[in-house]
Amino acid sequence: MELEKFTIQNMKSDFVELGILIQDMLLQCHKSLTTSDLHEMKNIHEVERIFVQQSKIFDEKCLQYLACKQPFAKDLRIIHALIKLNRDFKMISEYIIKIFNKSLELMNTSYEMRKNELSRMCKHLQNQLQFILEQLYSENTQKVKAVLNDFFVQSGCNTLHDEVIQQSLAENWLHIPVLLNIFYCLERIAEYYHHFSLVIIDLYADT
């Protein structure tokens, strides 16, 4: 990369591009829970492959930025934060793949209502990430605080968890472990979002 392209805004733009790939993966999870037609879905594993590749390149760019620019104060904090958040993205991508794979096991089962609720959570996480990325890029610490008070996924998973356990006592429990695994992954992603929000608030607290 040319030296003049090593700017904080460019680095944040690259990070946003990674976030867009994560959003695409969440969209595929949403589709996998709302349709039984595999042809309507992209190859989520291809999106994941691109993400892994771009994530590695982003880490290298961050290190190059530190070496070439030797930033101080705020710029240094931003680069360190982006490296940390990229690491979180890698974990989120793994959880998304687990959700996708597990959702395929629910196709053509009697859990259509549960699948619809889970798909809404995936869509909610997709929209929340869009919001977080916008706030990171614009350095807005006020609106991102709303994410810290958003427990839609956690409360939804808790409610569904209790309902599914009760249902398993009376009905076929074959797919209960699959549902519980999806709940777990959704909750972990929501926790990472809260962490993202705290990082952004801390990062721009003095601006």
Side-chain angles (χ1 to χ4, degrees), residues 41-174:
M41 293 177 255
K42 285 184 181 178
N43 185 347
I44 191 173
H45 298 290
E46 175 62 17
V47 179
E48 180 197 24
R49 184 192 67 77
I50 295 172
F51 167 78
V52 170
Q53 181 183 52
Q54 294 302 313
S55 178
K56 182 179 179 181
I57 292 173
F58 182 78
D59 277 338
E60 293 172 353
K61 284 183 178 179
C62 286
L63 295 177
Q64 289 174 11
Y65 182 93
L66 293 173
C68 294
K69 290 286 190 177
Q70 297 182 350
F72 293 96
K74 181 181 175 181
D75 286 357
L76 180 61
R77 291 173 61 212
I78 290 175
I79 292 299
H80 283 166
L82 291 177
I83 292 173
K84 185 185 301 182
L85 294 178
N86 185 35
R87 184 171 62 242
D88 289 348
F89 263 169
K90 294 172 186 176
M91 293 302 302
I92 289 174
S93 71
E94 292 180 10
Y95 283 125
I96 293 174
I97 292 298
K98 288 180 181 178
I99 293 171
F100 180 84
N101 290 335
K102 292 297 180 181
S103 69
L104 296 181
E105 296 182 37
L106 295 177
M107 282 188 172
N108 302 317
T109 69
S110 60
Y111 293 95
E112 289 303 318
M113 186 172 67
R114 302 288 180 254
K115 285 169 59 179
N116 289 336
E117 294 174 27
L118 291 172
S119 71
R120 282 197 294 272
M121 292 184 200
C122 286
K123 191 65 176 177
H124 183 76
L125 289 173
Q126 181 190 357
N127 293 335
Q128 261 200 322
L129 181 54
Q130 176 66 32
F131 185 76
I132 290 172
L133 293 173
E134 289 174 355
Q135 305 316 303
L136 172 66
Y137 193 81
S138 65
E139 303 188 8
N140 188 317
T141 61
Q142 293 301 317
K143 292 183 179 180
V144 78
K145 292 179 181 178
V147 178
L148 293 175
N149 298 317
D150 188 321
F151 293 97
F152 174 79
V153 171
Q154 291 91 328
S155 61
C157 285
N158 287 336
T159 300
L160 284 175
H161 181 280
D162 294 340
E163 291 178 358
V164 165
I165 293 300
Q166 289 297 320
Q167 181 181 2
S168 69
L169 299 176
E171 300 180 20
N172 187 350
W173 53 268
L174 180 62

